Each structure stands twice: as C-alpha cells, then as structure tokens.
Amino acid sequence: MLQSVWTRIRNLNKLFLYVVIVPTALSIIYFGFLTSPVYISESAFVVYSPSQHVSSSGLASLLSGLGGSNSTSAAETIHEYVGSWDAMMALNKAYDLKKVYGGDNVDIFDRFGGVFFPHSSHVKLLRYYQSMVTDELDNTNGITKLKARAYGAVDARKINAFLLQKSQDIVNRLNERARAKGVYYAQKDVTTAEQKLRDATIALANYRNRHGVFSPPAQSALQLGMVSKLQDHLITQKTQLDAIRAHAPSNPQIPVLQSSIKALQGEIQTENAKVTGSKQSLASKDTEYERLSVNQLLAQKLLEAAVTSLEQARLTAQKQELYLETISRPNLPDAPQEPHRVEDILATLLISLLIWGVLSILVAGVREHHAR
C-alpha cells in the first residue's frame, strides 16, 4: 500500500518536473538572459481638412470636427499603406531591414533569419515587418497611433519617422490628384474659350483688312455727319441763289452759285453712296461685320465665365485639401518596453501549473481505472 502511494507521488513529481519546473526554468533562462530587448517608438497624427474648422481652443475642437469622408478615407489609405509591400520595400531600401532585424545583436530566436524566422526572402520579411510595425486608427476621433519596434532605440525612431513622412507624402499626393481632377475640366473650358476668342478676333481682323473697314457703324456715322454738313452748305447756297435771282436776275454770281450747287449735290450723292446703295457701301458690309463682332463679344463673355469657373474650382479644391497634423513626433525610447520579462515568466508558470493540474487529474483517473 505504501509502495503504491509512493509510486504515485514519484510519478506526480516527475510530471511536475517535466510540465512545470522545466518550462519555467527555460522561460527564466530565455526571458531573463537570452531574449533581446525591444524598443518601441510611438507617434500619433490626424488627417483633417480646412472645412472642419479648426479653432484655437486646442486639439479637442479639432477632433470633434472630424469624421468627414475625405479625411477618413485618407487615414484609411495611410493605414493600408503602412502594412503594405510598398511601405516595406521603401523602408528596406532606406535602412536595409534585414540588417536592422537580423543583426548579430538580436537573439537567435527573435531575429529575422533565426530559428523561428529562418527565411531571408522579401515575402517573409514582409510578414516579419508587419509584426514589428503597427498602426491603429481610431474611427471615433480620427487619431492614428503608429508604433515601430526594433532592437535599438535609434532604429525604432528612424523607422517611425520614415513611415510618418511617407504618410505625409500620401496626403500630398491625394491633394495633388484632387486638385488636378477638380480644376481639369474648368481649365479645359478656359482653353476652349480662349481658342474661340482667338478665332473670332482673327476672323474680324481678316474681314477688316479684306474690306478696308474698321467699324462700319462708326464710319457710317462719320459719313452721315459729312453729308449733313454738305446739305447745310447746299441749303445756304440755294437760299443765296434764290435771293440773287429775285433781286438781280442778271447778276454774274448766279452761274457760279449754280455750279457750286451742282457740285454740292454730286458730292452729297457720292457720300451717300458710300453709306448705302451699292455693294461697296458701308451698309452692305455692316451685316457681316456685326455678326463677326457679336461672335467676338460672345467668345469674350464665355472666356470670362470660364475663368470665373476656374477660380471657383480652385477655391473649392483648396477648401477640400487634406492636412496631416502630427500630434506627437516619433520618440526616442530610453528603455526597452518589451519583452515583459517577469510577466512572461509568470505566465509560463501559470500555464504550466494549469496543464500539470489537468494532466494530474487525468493520470490519477487512468490509474484508478486500471486499479479496479
């Protein structure tokens, strides 16, 4: 009986040794002496647009105005980029991640290319990178928290600062595309209107050169003014002739006045013909001139309207521009934040005890069953 009890205790002690003591001792050795310290550089930023009315009351007023679709989409775009292949390759080109995460200063279990990460391909590097760099977007206030882990404080801050700058570049590119898209059609309308005005002006100038006119209405007014003066002079001459005939029928000035009156009448007919009555008159040229002049005026009005629309499109695009506001810059940690050595050892001990307790019950049950 005593021998059976002693055998059970010895078996339980072996189980306790292998399930609890050994894993706990290994965790003490690994977490206490072998695992490399991990430094975490943190930063935080928010994406907003001027239409969200940032007041001088501080960050709270800014965050309360967030939630617009443009800024939210930009923040989500940045979130997707941080964990993407492009971000990893850009970062690898700048800092050679295989050296940063696979150096000899990193323990063999955690390093890239070590026991648990034996591969050296970029595909595997992407998975490793995604485990070391994280960003969390809070949809309630729009704040993105970016964390970069590395085995050196300077490396962690460099990686965080690089990704933060890339996030700013993404916002700038989004602004450029939105600005170009917003003003593209307005600029196209301005270009079309400018061409129409240019064509209308050239057509009017060609017509003036071809027909030797500047402005038929203005020239007609000048001609009619000259005709009016000639008619006034003609009336004066006729009045003088009638007076002489009435008082001195044989006056030698009568033939002179008659010749002068005839000449004035001919001149009046000539000047009238320049205005109306022939194919070369100003009146015959006025219709086409007016048409070309109206076309030029319409083209000018269209250009003015197109320029106004372009300015409005630019103002609208400016109001919709996005800005990345850095809430906290990437810090330089002065102490490692991971691993949590004591917590990890205690967690190993607790899990081992739970497993040992379950196995002890199972072993005791099996032995009791066989004892029957």
Side-chain angles (χ1 to χ4, degrees):
M1 183 66 178
L2 291 175
Q3 185 178 4
S4 176
V5 172
W6 172 250
T7 302
R8 292 183 181 181
I9 293 175
R10 187 174 57 182
N11 290 334
L12 289 177
N13 287 338
K14 288 183 179 180
L15 185 64
F16 186 82
L17 175 65
Y18 293 131
V19 176
V20 178
I21 301 299
V22 172
T24 303
L26 292 176
S27 69
I28 291 174
I29 295 173
Y30 176 71
F31 292 116
F33 303 100
L34 297 181
T35 185
S36 299
V38 177
Y39 296 84
I40 303 176
S41 178
E42 300 184 16
S43 63
F45 61 87
V46 65
V47 180
Y48 71 96
S49 64
S51 59
Q52 291 166 335
H53 302 295
V54 182
S55 67
S56 60
S57 60
L59 182 61
S61 60
L62 167 64
L63 300 181
S64 63
L66 293 176
S69 58
N70 290 339
S71 59
T72 302
S73 298
E76 291 175 349
T77 301
I78 293 173
H79 173 74
E80 293 298 326
Y81 173 79
V82 168
S84 69
W85 174 273
D86 289 344
M88 185 273 293
M89 292 301 292
L91 193 58
N92 186 56
K93 183 178 180 181
Y95 296 112
D96 192 356
L97 294 179
K98 293 183 179 181
K99 290 184 178 180
V100 172
Y101 291 125
D104 294 334
N105 61 316
V106 185
D107 71 83
I108 195 172
F109 297 101
D110 287 336
R111 76 173 63 160
F112 180 73
V115 174
F116 295 120
F117 304 95
H119 305 282
S120 60
S121 66
H122 286 99
V123 174
K124 298 299 181 181
L125 179 61
L126 175 63
R127 300 291 178 264
Y128 190 94
Y129 160 80
Q130 290 173 342
S131 68
M132 300 298 286
V133 176
T134 58
D135 70 315
E136 300 175 358
L137 172 61
D138 191 339
N139 291 320
T140 59
N141 53 29
I143 294 178
T144 298
K145 293 182 179 179
L146 179 62
K147 295 182 180 181
R149 294 172 173 81
Y151 299 102
V154 176
D155 289 333
R157 184 171 68 172
K158 285 182 178 179
I159 293 172
N160 198 310
F162 182 88
L163 293 175
L164 187 62
Q165 181 58 49
K166 283 294 183 180
S167 300
Q168 179 66 67
D169 294 341
I170 289 175
V171 172
N172 294 338
R173 288 200 301 271
L174 291 175
N175 285 333
E176 290 175 3
R177 292 176 184 176
R179 192 183 306 117
K181 184 178 180 181
V183 303
Y184 172 76
Y185 294 104
Q187 183 64 58
K188 188 176 181 180
D189 291 341
V190 169
T191 303
T192 303
E194 287 176 343
Q195 185 61 43
K196 287 183 178 180
L197 179 59
R198 189 180 300 110
D199 294 342
T201 301
I202 292 174
L204 184 60
N206 291 337
Y207 183 83
R208 285 170 172 168
N209 294 331
R210 188 167 60 251
H211 293 86
V213 295
F214 176 75
S215 175
Q219 290 178 270
S220 296
L222 291 175
Q223 292 295 124
L224 292 175
M226 186 179 296
V227 170
S228 179
K229 291 180 179 180
L230 291 174
Q231 287 178 341
D232 291 340
H233 191 46
L234 177 61
I235 292 173
T236 302
Q237 293 288 321
K238 285 183 176 181
T239 302
Q240 187 178 358
L241 178 60
D242 292 340
I244 293 174
R245 281 177 175 175
H247 297 90
S250 58
N251 193 310
Q253 291 184 357
I254 292 177
V256 177
L257 290 173
Q258 289 176 338
S259 298
S260 178
I261 290 172
K262 186 175 180 180
L264 287 172
Q265 290 175 338
E267 185 67 20
I268 290 172
Q269 290 179 354
T270 301
E271 295 299 329
N272 280 330
K274 292 180 180 180
V275 179
T276 59
S278 68
K279 293 183 179 180
Q280 299 300 321
S281 65
L282 293 172
S284 64
K285 302 173 183 178
D286 187 60
T287 301
E288 183 64 17
Y289 175 86
E290 287 297 329
R291 185 184 70 81
L292 295 174
S293 180
V294 169
N295 287 342
Q296 184 190 39
L297 181 61
L298 288 176
Q300 185 175 358
K301 294 297 183 182
L302 287 174
L303 178 59
E304 292 175 357
V307 171
T308 301
S309 298
L310 177 60
E311 292 300 323
Q312 291 177 347
R314 286 174 176 170
L315 289 175
T316 301
Q318 186 176 5
K319 290 180 180 179
Q320 293 177 347
E321 281 192 353
L322 300 171
Y323 296 88
L324 187 147
E325 183 68 25
T326 302
I327 300 174
S328 61
R329 303 292 302 175
N331 67 310
L332 180 64
D334 58 355
Q337 293 97 316
E338 294 179 357
H340 305 288
R341 301 179 187 275
V342 177
E343 291 85 343
D344 291 339
I345 293 172
L346 291 177
T348 303
L349 176 60
L350 179 60
I351 294 174
S352 299
L353 287 172
L354 291 174
I355 296 175
W356 174 76
V358 173
L359 292 178
S360 298
I361 295 173
L362 291 176
V363 170
V366 170
R367 290 183 179 279
E368 184 177 352
H369 177 73
H370 286 292
R372 293 178 181 179

